[in-house]
Amino acid sequence: VHAIFDTQAIFYRRTTDIPIIVQVWNSRKFCDQFLGQVTLDADPSDCRDLKSLYLRKKGGPTAKVKQGHISFKVISSDDLTEL
């Protein structure tokens, strides 16, 4: 099964030294299922190219890789009017 989501969002972060964690969940009738997560540094100096990372278990960027990946483009800026 290939799930494709075309979602855009703008988030405010007070400090950029804490990484962004994106989690993917499967919504079920009785109990939601954790599918995996990716951890992003999203430093304002990072390039804005499309990136693809494998989903991982909980525990940060060194956690065991799970099946599946997520593709994304992060635009991070110190200036809100730039976005």
Side-chain angles (χ1 to χ4, degrees):
V1 177
H2 290 44
I4 298 174
F5 302 95
D6 186 16
T7 304
Q8 297 180 12
I10 296 176
F11 298 98
Y12 169 77
R13 294 190 303 162
R14 186 174 299 206
T15 59
T16 57
D17 56 340
I18 299 172
I20 298 170
I21 298 173
V22 178
Q23 294 184 335
V24 180
W25 290 81
N26 181 20
S27 180
R28 297 178 136 189
K29 189 172 186 174
F30 296 108
C31 182
D32 293 342
Q33 176 187 15
F34 176 75
L35 298 177
Q37 71 180 26
V38 294
T39 304
L40 316 168
D41 289 330
D43 188 81
S45 64
D46 285 349
C47 69
R48 299 176 176 197
D49 295 334
L50 185 66
K51 299 177 185 178
S52 185
L53 293 176
Y54 286 101
L55 294 173
R56 296 183 175 273
K57 292 185 175 187
K58 291 183 182 179
T62 59
K64 185 177 178 183
V65 174
K66 296 188 75 166
Q67 184 177 6
H69 69 277
I70 186 168
S71 298
F72 55 90
K73 184 187 295 186
V74 175
I75 300 172
S76 184
S77 174
D78 294 332
D79 181 11
L80 186 58
T81 60
E82 182 183 322
L83 302 175

